[in-house]
Amino acid sequence: MDASRRQQYLDAMGITRYVMREPAATGYPRDAVESGVVAPASLPESGRPAAADISELQPDWAALKTRVASCTACELHASRTRTVFGTGDESAQLMIVGEAPGAEEDRQGEPFVGRAGQLLNAMLHAIGLAREAVYITNILKCRPPGNRNPTAEEAAKCRPFLMQQLSLVKPKVMLAVGGVAAHNLLETDEAVGRLRNRIHYYGEDCTPLLVTYHPAYLLRRPEEKAKVWQDLQKLYGILHGD
Ligand code: URA
């Protein structure tokens, strides 16, 4: 990527003064080795949908969408306006996982359409990706009232849907945005600040997974955008894997 193009991307993310000290990440696996990769780990038992869930949910987009739209597995169905399934390229190389729908997403039925979504779009633009070129979804498909964090039970009930989405998209890499997504996927409570900077591996296919800050957090703490830019460069390296 040449300097003027990079500057354009930084501008799109709202980063006005940033000087690159290191060359962009060159990608996986060399980059993974240099940055202290977390060894591929099989998904913890509790992170897997029960076998019954897997067999019950056929790997078929239409069936999965219908199931999500009519889901009443947890109490959130009672307060939602609509379910928020996921959006974007269903064969994307990049799958982004956020937390849960907010008010605007609940109204529109699409993830990341509010202010945080606009910043997410700018983050993607920063590495040359249109929103439509990636697949975006959340840990939860229904809005928790008052935008509270998902409970463990809600996340567990929704997990088979996410696992099915993952097995259908088959992305080259996943990006967990924010602590809720990272903690649920990786079954840890380590801070995002410690989870970023490493390549994790998720699911039965050991899909490389990066963690970065949630765009809503960046709206409150714009000074953290430079770290996200580093994460995005690492992501770019994996996507364009040398
Ligand atoms: N925050 C999320 O994590 N997901 C959305 O869809 C919107 C905001």
Side-chain angles (χ1 to χ4, degrees):
M1 200 186 301
D2 68 32
S4 73
R5 198 171 176 89
R6 177 176 294 121
Q7 188 56 52
Q8 241 183 321
Y9 290 157
L10 288 169
D11 290 345
M13 272 185 69
I15 297 176
T16 47
R17 285 159 60 85
Y18 177 68
V19 180
M20 281 245 299
R21 282 184 220 132
E22 289 175 359
T26 50
Y28 165 73
R30 199 184 80 202
D31 179 54
V33 173
E34 286 169 355
S35 60
V37 172
V38 177
S42 57
L43 187 63
E45 277 305 318
S46 53
R48 284 192 197 131
D53 292 331
I54 289 274
S55 57
E56 217 184 322
L57 289 170
Q58 295 306 309
D60 169 282
W61 280 114
L64 183 58
K65 285 174 189 174
T66 302
R67 243 192 109 124
V68 168
S70 58
C71 180
T72 55
C74 78
E75 284 312 306
L76 296 182
H77 79 273
S79 53
R80 75 184 176 218
T81 306
R82 62 192 70 201
T83 53
V84 179
F85 181 77
T87 191
D89 181 349
E90 293 176 348
S91 312
Q93 293 214 312
L94 170 61
M95 178 162 162
I96 297 176
V97 183
E99 177 178 331
E104 201 47 45
E105 289 77 18
D106 175 69
R107 247 191 305 277
Q108 295 191 34
E110 183 170 331
F112 284 100
V113 288
R115 280 184 70 219
Q118 282 164 21
L119 182 53
L120 179 65
N121 294 348
M123 287 162 58
L124 293 171
H125 183 63
I127 51 168
L129 286 173
R131 173 183 172 91
E132 298 72 32
V134 307
Y135 191 76
I136 306 173
T137 191
N138 284 308
I139 294 289
L140 293 192
K141 310 306 187 222
C142 295
R143 181 191 183 208
N147 294 342
R148 63 160 171 75
N149 281 351
T151 66
E153 194 195 347
E154 289 159 358
K157 291 266 168 65
C158 237
R159 189 170 295 128
F161 297 141
L162 183 66
M163 296 300 286
Q164 283 288 304
Q165 287 173 303
L166 176 61
S167 73
L168 287 163
V169 176
K170 294 190 180 51
K172 185 171 184 182
V173 56
M174 297 171 74
L175 178 68
V177 293
V180 168
H183 296 162
N184 274 284
L185 292 171
L186 298 174
E187 303 227 342
T188 176
D189 55 8
E190 254 190 284
V192 170
R194 291 176 56 85
L195 293 169
R196 56 179 290 277
N197 278 327
R198 282 143 69 184
I199 301 177
H200 309 267
Y201 293 90
Y202 186 73
E204 293 183 349
D205 291 338
C206 289
T207 308
L209 183 151
L210 296 183
V211 173
T212 195
Y213 293 109
H214 195 287
Y217 173 76
L218 293 182
L219 290 171
R220 297 192 300 274
R221 299 278 307 271
E223 67 274 16
E224 300 286 40
K225 284 183 182 175
K227 290 186 189 154
V228 173
W229 174 236
Q230 288 169 359
D231 299 337
L232 291 171
Q233 285 175 91
K234 190 180 285 274
L235 185 63
Y236 184 92
I238 297 174
L239 281 170
H240 300 274
D242 318 294

